[in-house]
Amino acid sequence: MARNLQTRDHLRPIDLARGHGLSTQAVRNYEEAGILPAAARTPHGYRTYTPLHARALGAFLALVPGHGHQTAMSIMRAVNQSAVDEAFGLIDESHAQLLDDRRTLRAVERALLDLPPTPAPRPDAAVSRPGGMFVGTLALELGVRPATLRKWERAGLVRPHRDPLTGYRVYDEADVRDARLAHQLRRGGYLLEQIAPLITQVRAAGGLEPLEAALRDWRGRLSARGRAMLTGAAELDAYLRERC
């Protein structure tokens, strides 16, 4: 009976834990990490929490889906240390990252939309096998220098193989696709290091058509993250109001 401390103003660790599907150890860990304000202690050393702690826990859990665990933890630590401007700066950085992700998605979608259909090989094209072309032919088609394609190769954007007879680089159909996509993104102002992971996604998806489903999923996840940020902001605002 001595530990039955739940009242309107005093909550046990288990009271906070049950409300959010957590363990009591998780609640204690959150307190030790600075996510929750320090709890008061009974004469016997037991932790007692208040509705303010419950509000802090709700704010943290609401921030996680939109900002990630580490950033949400840093935001709550800053708030609990009365460094509110620092917390707002962290939130701004998350929003800036989300905006950058949206811009990247739009750039990829535009690049895919602007990609020309794969042309039939010209009779005079230098090829080593069906669907393959040498560096000069591909460079001419894209309107770039062969040295540019070699630079893209070093950055991992294209992966031509070597003709076993001549040793020349040969770009197969997938390489031509990747080169065209890289060209569109470069025209959009993207750096090689920004393009490389996008090309990797195209390869992992098995081509452009499967990538369209991945892009829809990507767009949905960005929207969900934006919505989660709104929810987190509302919970954090309620916590800040209660702290005042």
Side-chain angles (χ1 to χ4, degrees), residues 76-90:
M76 294 303 298
R77 282 176 174 170
V79 168
N80 291 328
Q81 294 169 3
S82 298
V84 178
D85 285 343
E86 179 182 338
F88 290 162
L90 292 168

Side-chain angles (χ1 to χ4, degrees), residues 41-159:
R41 298 276 184 159
T42 69
H44 294 90
Y46 297 125
R47 289 177 171 87
T48 62
Y49 295 107
T50 68
L52 181 65
H53 292 89
R55 181 70 76 179
L57 181 58
F60 168 71
L61 295 176
L63 288 168
V64 169
H67 298 272
H69 188 278
Q70 186 61 46
T71 299
M73 181 169 62
S74 297
I75 291 170
M76 294 303 298
R77 282 176 174 170
V79 168
N80 291 328
Q81 294 169 3
S82 298
V84 178
D85 285 343
E86 179 182 338
F88 290 162
L90 292 168
I91 293 170
D92 290 343
E93 289 175 5
S94 283
H95 280 280
Q97 181 61 59
L98 178 60
L99 179 59
D100 188 57
D101 290 345
R102 289 189 185 281
R103 287 171 174 162
T104 299
L105 173 61
R106 287 196 295 269
V108 174
E109 290 174 329
R110 287 195 300 269
L112 295 179
L113 184 64
D114 293 339
L115 280 178
T118 302
R122 299 196 308 268
D124 61 340
V127 297
S128 64
R129 66 182 185 179
M133 62 178 68
F134 290 140
V135 61
T137 306
L138 180 57
L140 181 63
E141 180 181 305
L142 295 177
V144 301
R145 298 188 304 168
T148 298
L149 285 173
R150 289 191 285 269
K151 183 177 181 180
W152 291 358
E153 180 183 348
R154 290 193 295 272
L157 307 189
V158 290
R159 300 184 298 189

